[in-house]
Structure formats: C-alpha cells, structure tokens
Amino acid sequence: MSTAATHDAHHEEHAKGLLRWVFTTNHKDIGTLYLVFALTMFFVGGAMAMVIRAELFQPGLQFVDPQFFNSMTTMHALIMVFGAVMPAFVGLANWLIPMMIGAPDMALPRMNNWSFWILPFAALMLVGTLFMDGGAPAGGWTMYPPLVLQTGDAFPFLIFSVHLLGISSIMGAINIIVTIMNMRAPGMTMMKMPLFVWTWLITAYLLIAVMPVFAGAVTMLLTDRFFDTSFFNAAGGGDPVMFQHIFWFFGHPEVYIMILPAFGVISAIIPTFARKRLFGYSSMVYATASIAFLSFIVWAHHMFTVGLPLTGELFFMYATMLIAVPTGVKVFNWVSTMWKGSMTFETPMLFAIGFVMLFTIGGFSGLMMSITPIDFQYHDTYFIVAHFHYVLVSGSVFSIFAAVYYWLPKWTGNMYDEKLGKLHFWLSAIFVNVLFFPQHFLGLAGMPRRIPDYSTQFAGFNEISSLGGFAFGLTQLLFVYIVIKTVRGGSKATDQVWEGADGLEWTLPSPPPYHSFTTAPEVK
C-alpha cells in the first residue's frame, strides 16, 4: 500500500474513532463523555474561583474590576453546578446503573446521546457571555432581578444556555427512571437495588419536578427584559421577591440533586472497605425519600431576610430543622457500618470517610442557619459561602473522587497508583479546610459575600483562605495525572479488586449478573 493510501486509511480509522464518540449510544461511552466534560468544566470553574481568591487575597482592588469580579462569582457557580457536579453524577449513573441492575444498556440510548451533546454547546454559550458587550451576567448565580436585568447583550445567552442545561438534565432523568423501572434483572426487586441506584431514582424525580420551575423563572426574566412584562418589576406591579420564591423552589431541591447521588456512592464504598453489609439498608432508602420530599418545603430558608410573615419564618425554620433528621440517620448508618468492621484505608475509603466528616460540618452549619433570628446575622456573609462549600466540595466533589478511584479499575482494567491517590486525598482534605474553614470566622465577623473589596480587619483570614484555594486547585492537577496514568496502563485489575466479603466488591446488596461486566462467563 502506498504512503498516501496508508495515510488515508489511518485518517479514516481516526475519523471512525472520533465519530464513535459523536454517535455512540453505549452507556459506558456516554458515561465517559459526561465524566470528561465534568472534569473539564471543573477546571474552568476552578480557574474562575482562583480569580475570586486572587482578588480577595488582600484588601483593595488588585486584579479585576468589580463588575468582572461579580461575573466570576456568577459564572463560577453556574459552571460548577450545571457543568461539573451534575454532569459528573449523570456520568456515574450512565456507567453504573445498567451494570448494577443487570441491564444491557440505558433504556433510551439515542436520547442518552442527545442529552450529553446538548451540554458542551450550552457550556460554550455560557462561557461565551464573558466575551460579549457589557460582560457576563453579574447578578449572582441566583440571577436575581433587578440586578441580572442590567447585564447587556449577554443576558439572553445566559437564559438560553440555562434552558439547554435544564433540558439535558430532564432528558437524563427520564432515561434513568425508565431504565431503573423497566430493566432490572429478574429477581431484583426495588428493595434489593444498590443504594446508588435508589439515590439516583429519587434524584431523577427531583430533577423532573424542579427543572421546569427554573425554566419558568428565567423565561419570566426574559419577558420582563424584552417584552415589557412586569413579573418582577415593582414599577409595573410585579415583585422581585416573587422571583426568589420561584427560584428557590427550584434551588433548594437542586442542592439535594447534587448530594443524594453522593450518598449513594458513599453507601457503596463504606461497606466494601469495612467488609460489612450496609447498616440499615431500608432506613437509608426511606431517609433518602424523606430528604427529597422535605427539600420541596424548605425553600424560603434562603429568604429569611426578605420580610416574610412571622408564621412563614417559623414554618420554614422548623421544616429546615426537620430535614436534618433523615440526614442524621444516614450519617449514623455509615458510622455504624464502619463500627467493628475490618476496615482498610484505600483511597476510595479515605475520600468516603473525609466525606462523612466534612459533610457533617456542612450539615451542622446548615442547622445553625436554619434558626431564623440567627440567620439574620449570617445571611449574605461568608458564613453562608463556607457552609455550602463544605456541602458541595467536601461533600459532592469528594464523593465523585471516591467514586472514580473506586470504579476506575472496573472501567479501565488497570489499578490506579495507590500512593499518588492517597497523596491526592491528604492534600485535598487539608487544603479544602484551609480554604473554607476561615470563611466561617469571616462570616461571623460580618464580611459580606460577592464583594471584591473588604475592610482590613478581614485581611488575615482571607489570605489564609486564598492560599488554601490555590493549593487545593493545584492538587487537582494531580488527580488528572493519576486518571490519565491509569487509563494508559498500570498493573492489571483482577476480578476481585477490593477484597470485600460475600461478593461485596462492586455493588450492594446484590451483585449484578455476570453478563453486565464481562462478555461471557469463564468456562470452568
């Protein structure tokens, strides 16, 4: 064959390789696409966080103007929520749910492909707003009017990208529900499903319930801006606080959408490395369902300072405290699973234990903020920022790391480098605390959030926080290195990577049938 012909053949093969990823309907390929996309967005959103922390390293205005600073806070949040955490969990769902329930693939494979490919375009449009006249939206990720209505040409693009991200989420959720309901292996009743499958089933219902509410809220913003409606414009008889009600009716369940799959991951990992069955399986299922239900009736705890009637404030205070009960049940069950277990501390287990401890700190600070009169002091300070980052970084993100280390040998056939994995854990665990713990003190001392400049009394803690932020960000490059190194080679993973008891290695409580992991059973 001539050189030109060889080149053409190579070119064709390469195109086939690329097209495989564009047209794939295989749940594992799509899971991989989601995870790679999420990792990319994690670094894009992380870079924006670095801009925020660089600006806050010292008092005064150093690097960026206030408008751009506020654009960074808005974009950082939207990208981390809709671009990093949620797609990562959907990627895990795609990879694991069919294998855990013994299904050959997801129920709606074409829709699966489409729901992924909407994402990169929506994300590009979102990031693209940074380069438009008037700069990216600077109304916070909550997009409160009237702030967000003053954001120039970028505004309609922001709204459209949010719509697309929501459509993708709804499609993914429908797919997950149909798969779990219709494609379980014979004999796998609902109460025999692994908890990761349960948490995702419940999460998918949450997504379908709240994403249209969010779509409605941003559409009303759009018509206020371009069609002279007055939904949120007081001059026309509207009410900007109504937007907050609608937004947080979406926004609070959304927070649980980002943490419930994490509960599922942790409930798979802790029993494996404790070599015990999960303590209180059915109570875990009921607790997850309770959290999901309660998440719909606590939204106004984000709004204690808007002038709610006293009755409303009391209701939302008690409802918010109530949601701590099922969450506490979960933490109790994880700790009970570890109690007297034969524990080993491989990287996934370290991240799982880190999750339990740090997520609990986030839970306790949430309980503090549920107390209405005290929340008047905390509201819109860095205490809030510290609280939700303990839940979302040392909660959601740590659980995603745990899941990747735990299932990577299954995905790639290779073992990751355990020493590097442990190094990644310890650096992450230390720096995430250096980054966010001082923010509790800043908030209690009264430092407002979303402000690029601050009084000199806050300088010390901000300096510590920023140093922790840069160190935490750099540590994540180590994670990328570990993953790439594992994908490219390494010691081969055996059938029983994690030596659990009673076939506990990969799923709980019932192992999937052989054909979901391997092409054929071994001939004995």
Side-chain angles (χ1 to χ4, degrees), residues 11 76 155 206 230 243 247 310 312 339 345 393 423 441 447 509:
H11 188 74
H76 163 71
F155 178 76
L206 281 181
S230 293
F243 178 84
F247 178 87
L310 186 62
W339 180 252
F345 299 96
V393 180
L423 180 65
F441 305 138
M447 180 174 162

Side-chain angles (χ1 to χ4, degrees), residues 169-200:
S169 293
I170 289 173
M171 284 163 54
I174 291 170
N175 209 347
I176 285 166
I177 291 172
V178 177
T179 305
I180 296 171
M181 288 306 201
N182 292 328
M183 297 180 71
R184 298 194 304 281
M188 182 176 275
T189 57
M190 296 289 274
M191 292 308 277
K192 281 188 180 163
M193 297 194 308
L195 261 168
F196 179 77
V197 180
W198 256 118
T199 52
W200 245 116

Side-chain angles (χ1 to χ4, degrees), residues 18-315:
L18 280 178
L19 287 177
R20 167 193 151 189
W21 292 103
V22 177
F23 294 120
T24 181
T25 53
N26 179 305
H27 71 100
K28 297 175 182 178
D29 283 354
I30 293 170
T32 303
L33 285 169
Y34 267 110
L35 289 165
V36 170
F37 171 77
L39 186 63
T40 311
M41 287 293 106
F42 180 59
F43 280 98
V44 173
M48 293 171 176
M50 295 301 96
V51 173
I52 294 167
R53 284 316 325 167
E55 181 54 62
L56 291 172
F57 187 70
Q58 288 183 316
L61 295 175
Q62 271 79 236
F63 302 106
V64 293
D65 62 273
Q67 163 75 21
F68 188 75
F69 179 88
N70 287 338
S71 293
M72 285 289 99
T73 56
T74 303
M75 300 293 282
H76 163 71
L78 287 170
I79 284 169
M80 286 305 203
V81 170
F82 294 108
V85 173
M86 286 171 69
F89 280 131
V90 178
L92 291 174
N94 263 297
W95 251 106
L96 300 170
I97 288 174
M99 298 203 291
M100 286 179 165
I101 64 173
D105 204 302
M106 296 295 278
L108 305 161
R110 295 263 172 221
M111 189 163 90
N112 207 8
N113 172 290
W114 192 32
S115 72
F116 170 76
W117 280 109
I118 289 172
L119 280 180
F121 296 99
L124 275 172
M125 193 181 300
L126 188 58
V127 176
T129 58
L130 284 168
F131 305 101
M132 294 175 189
D133 278 351
W141 82 280
T142 50
M143 295 177 270
Y144 282 172
L147 268 177
V148 79
L149 297 171
Q150 300 155 2
T151 43
D153 295 349
F155 178 76
F157 289 89
L158 167 78
I159 301 297
F160 189 45
S161 66
V162 161
H163 270 300
L164 288 176
L165 293 161
I167 289 167
S168 165
S169 293
I170 289 173
M171 284 163 54
I174 291 170
N175 209 347
I176 285 166
I177 291 172
V178 177
T179 305
I180 296 171
M181 288 306 201
N182 292 328
M183 297 180 71
R184 298 194 304 281
M188 182 176 275
T189 57
M190 296 289 274
M191 292 308 277
K192 281 188 180 163
M193 297 194 308
L195 261 168
F196 179 77
V197 180
W198 256 118
T199 52
W200 245 116
L201 179 65
I202 291 166
T203 302
Y205 277 108
L206 281 181
L207 273 167
I208 289 173
V210 301
M211 277 298 165
V213 177
F214 189 34
V218 295
T219 305
M220 285 190 268
L221 277 178
L222 199 70
T223 60
D224 270 12
R225 171 77 186 275
F226 293 107
F227 298 100
D228 291 328
T229 54
S230 293
F231 291 112
F232 311 126
N233 180 2
D239 183 3
V241 174
M242 182 171 78
F243 178 84
Q244 295 194 26
H245 279 289
I246 302 169
F247 178 87
W248 285 115
F249 186 81
F250 144 80
H252 199 79
E254 167 63 30
V255 176
Y256 288 96
I257 287 164
M258 290 189 285
I259 200 70
L260 289 181
F263 293 165
V265 167
I266 302 305
S267 302
I269 292 174
I270 287 180
T272 301
F273 295 97
R275 278 129 190 107
K276 277 173 68 188
R277 291 214 170 274
L278 184 73
F279 180 88
Y281 169 88
S282 54
S283 66
M284 287 296 236
V285 174
Y286 296 130
T288 310
S290 311
I291 289 169
F293 170 73
L294 289 169
S295 74
F296 283 103
I297 56 168
V298 296
W299 77 88
H301 68 211
H302 297 269
M303 301 169 53
F304 281 148
T305 57
V306 301
L308 296 173
L310 186 62
T311 321
E313 290 191 332
L314 281 170
F315 170 81

